Amino acid sequence: QMGLGHEQGFGAPCLKCKDKCEGFELHFWRKICRNCKCGQEEHDVLTSNEEDRKVGKLFEDTKYTTLIAKLKNDGIPMYKRNVMILTNPVPAKKNISINTVTFEWAPPVQNQTLARQYMQMLPKDKQPVAGSEGAQYRKKQLAKQLPAHDQDPSKCHELSPSEVKQMEQFVKKYKNEALGVGDIKLPGEVETRAADKNNLNNGDRGTSAAVGAMEDKSSAQKASQYFCYRCKLNMKEGDPAVYAERAGYDKLWHPACFVCCTCSELLVDMIYFWKNGNLYCGRHYCDSEKPRCAGCDELIFSNEYTQAEGQNWHLKHFCCFDCDCVLAGEIYVMVNDKPVCKPCYVKNHAAICQGCHNAIDPEVQRVTYNSFNWHATQECFLCSCCSKCLIGQKFMPVEGMVFCSVECKKKMMS
């Protein structure tokens, strides 16, 4: 069976289901695998080439163009990731073997020592060392936090011309007002910048005052004057701190505290969106501005959409998660937060009655005990020995059997 031509990563293994999934096959409008129903980001799909194109496109027409390179052949902007290779000579018995560690991304700073310190301040399992779980984590967060369909209308499913236009304006607006890339500095460097900035604002008058104020601080005070905007704990003078230009020079973060205010995940490659005093990842910034369809995962730009089960849906995407039939006006059952039509529910998810061994319709009454179920009828919920109806009676359960009395239980078990 062939994958569709447009499909990235056809056949890629699922990192979650392992062998249960036959390999990635993209659903025609959901961002999930048709085989195992896991998201695209759970599969080992994107090559770093495609990831770099996506981030390159995000930085196009922004002040972060120093982080991208235009490819000569097709003019597509590519993200110039700063890859850091550390070489540690390992003393062996006779000869010295070289141990190299490659970070698939590192902060783009001149000072290598600072970059290295920054990496060591991240949790071990989140350091993007090639071939490690940290590299997988980064890859998954790139897919999750910066979905291509949040910035590129061509990656969306059947937008109308007016929706495309609205989306382009939305993207342009967030690039101008919210998008930023964190920077690594020593706390003192940021303070000096802030002071310089004040001097610019105050003219000459401020200079002597600022210098005076700086000299007043004794070294003991200086050690504890910097604190992290998120955890409020002190920062050490010699440790790298993250600062975000859009947040202003008065705010600093520990490397491990530079996270999204909604999902608390590390901001991938320090790419942040700043809004109302909070850092967001791309996905959750967009969610704070627009409704997102629970069916196709895209932002909704049309005025007409439906709200059901506390989520938003494109009208044509409020569909059965199993067979994709449209559910408007139909009976459906929620299974793991996904709507499923009644026939699919009965076929794939319904509880089976211990009495008659048929599926129990979602709308009829049932008796449930541990993981066993019965139709709540005289025909099904009976004593397994004497067939007395047990509805409204005391009963004694043994595995999938129920008894009306100790005698019946003894009789059956002997």
Side-chain angles (χ1 to χ4, degrees):
Q1 189 188 359
M2 268 306 293
L4 302 171
H6 72 269
E7 197 172 307
Q8 281 177 347
F10 179 69
C14 179
L15 304 167
K16 203 164 158 186
C17 302
K18 305 283 191 294
D19 299 340
K20 288 196 202 110
C21 173
E22 296 160 33
F24 185 67
E25 190 186 331
L26 186 63
H27 184 278
F28 66 108
W29 53 264
R30 299 183 197 272
K31 310 292 181 289
I32 60 168
C33 172
R34 294 170 68 158
N35 289 322
C36 68
K37 301 276 176 97
C38 287
Q40 202 166 347
E41 76 278 358
E42 297 290 354
H43 292 76
D44 202 0
V45 170
L46 289 178
T47 64
S48 51
N49 203 357
E50 286 155 333
E51 288 166 355
D52 290 347
R53 285 183 174 207
K54 173 178 79 174
V55 180
K57 191 163 174 55
L58 181 66
F59 291 152
E60 200 178 22
D61 307 320
T62 68
K63 60 188 299 185
Y64 298 100
T65 47
T66 51
L67 295 175
I68 56 181
K70 283 264 203 279
L71 290 188
K72 290 185 182 66
N73 48 7
D74 51 11
I76 289 179
M78 284 290 267
Y79 178 30
K80 288 194 299 203
R81 264 177 307 133
N82 183 33
V83 176
M84 181 166 71
I85 300 175
L86 299 181
T87 307
N88 306 317
V90 182
K93 293 246 159 62
K94 288 199 172 69
N95 55 352
I96 288 187
S97 68
I98 300 293
N99 171 26
T100 63
V101 175
T102 304
F103 290 95
E104 294 187 350
W105 170 86
V109 284
Q110 292 327 128
N111 180 341
Q112 275 292 98
T113 319
L114 216 51
R116 195 196 221 124
Q117 276 178 297
Y118 164 88
M119 281 305 183
Q120 280 156 357
M121 288 175 77
L122 297 180
K124 192 95 186 89
D125 58 343
K126 294 186 177 172
Q127 298 176 10
V129 172
S132 73
E133 62 173 325
Q136 277 298 357
Y137 169 77
R138 174 181 172 269
K139 195 170 181 160
K140 187 173 171 178
Q141 292 306 319
L142 263 176
K144 239 189 160 82
Q145 295 182 20
L146 302 169
H149 51 269
D150 278 9
Q151 55 151 323
D152 185 350
S154 73
K155 296 277 188 277
C156 297
H157 186 70
E158 297 180 347
L159 296 184
S160 70
S162 112
E163 288 169 318
V164 169
K165 205 170 184 160
Q166 284 182 62
M167 181 169 184
E168 284 169 347
Q169 284 166 340
F170 174 73
V171 172
K172 192 175 174 176
K173 187 168 186 281
Y174 75 54
K175 284 186 179 188
N176 285 333
E177 294 174 11
L179 171 69
V181 180
D183 206 353
I184 304 292
K185 297 245 182 280
L186 289 168
E189 290 183 284
V190 181
E191 185 186 47
T192 318
R193 277 228 185 159
D196 291 347
K197 206 168 175 186
N198 286 338
N199 297 347
L200 286 175
N201 299 345
N202 305 342
D204 291 338
R205 227 166 16 87
T207 316
S208 51
V211 170
M214 276 171 148
E215 283 164 358
D216 285 346
K217 290 180 180 154
S218 68
S219 53
Q221 265 181 304
K222 214 167 171 56
S224 63
Q225 73 190 33
Y226 306 111
F227 66 91
C228 171
Y229 186 70
R230 178 167 193 262
C231 73
K232 306 294 184 252
L233 296 175
N234 289 342
M235 308 188 83
K236 294 199 193 90
E237 184 89 10
D239 281 348
V242 185
Y243 107 91
E245 195 181 5
R246 291 204 189 262
Y249 289 98
D250 56 337
K251 298 179 186 65
L252 292 170
W253 285 264
H254 290 117
C257 289
F258 199 62
V259 299
C260 168
C261 67
T262 304
C263 62
S264 301
E265 295 293 352
L266 273 185
L267 291 165
V268 70
D269 295 9
M270 298 196 299
I271 299 168
Y272 69 87
F273 290 70
W274 180 255
K275 176 182 168 181
N276 299 343
N278 284 312
L279 290 170
Y280 288 87
C281 69
R283 168 177 292 273
H284 292 117
Y285 169 82
C286 289
D287 285 351
S288 78
E289 293 277 323
K290 296 277 171 206
R292 186 183 294 279
C293 173
C296 70
D297 197 50
E298 291 171 19
L299 300 170
I300 300 176
F301 289 98
S302 71
N303 302 328
E304 291 191 324
Y305 60 96
T306 188
Q307 285 179 306
E309 306 297 330
Q311 304 187 85
N312 305 300
W313 316 74
H314 284 114
L315 297 179
K316 60 182 178 187
H317 288 163
F318 187 54
C319 297
C320 169
F321 194 67
D322 287 3
C323 74
D324 288 327
C325 72
V326 176
L327 291 173
E330 300 293 327
I331 292 169
Y332 64 88
V333 184
M334 292 304 281
V335 179
N336 303 328
D337 288 338
K338 309 274 194 273
V340 174
C341 70
K342 198 170 142 185
C344 280
Y345 178 81
V346 170
K347 193 172 95 196
N348 305 330
H349 307 281
I352 302 299
C353 172
Q354 287 293 113
C356 68
H357 302 296
N358 292 320
I360 302 176
D361 187 292
E363 293 165 282
V364 305
Q365 281 194 311
R366 61 173 152 168
V367 178
T368 299
Y369 184 84
N370 284 345
S371 57
F372 300 108
N373 297 276
W374 292 262
H375 285 103
T377 61
Q378 293 177 337
E379 296 77 33
C380 293
F381 193 52
L382 320 167
C383 171
S384 301
C385 178
C386 70
S387 300
K388 178 182 163 188
C389 174
L390 294 174
I391 293 173
Q393 307 294 315
K394 284 189 173 151
F395 63 89
M396 307 176 72
V398 179
E399 290 298 306
M401 297 185 286
V402 280
F403 299 104
C404 65
S405 61
V406 179
E407 292 76 46
C408 275
K409 178 182 156 185
K410 275 187 181 154
K411 221 183 268 182
M412 197 72 173
M413 300 318 260
S414 60

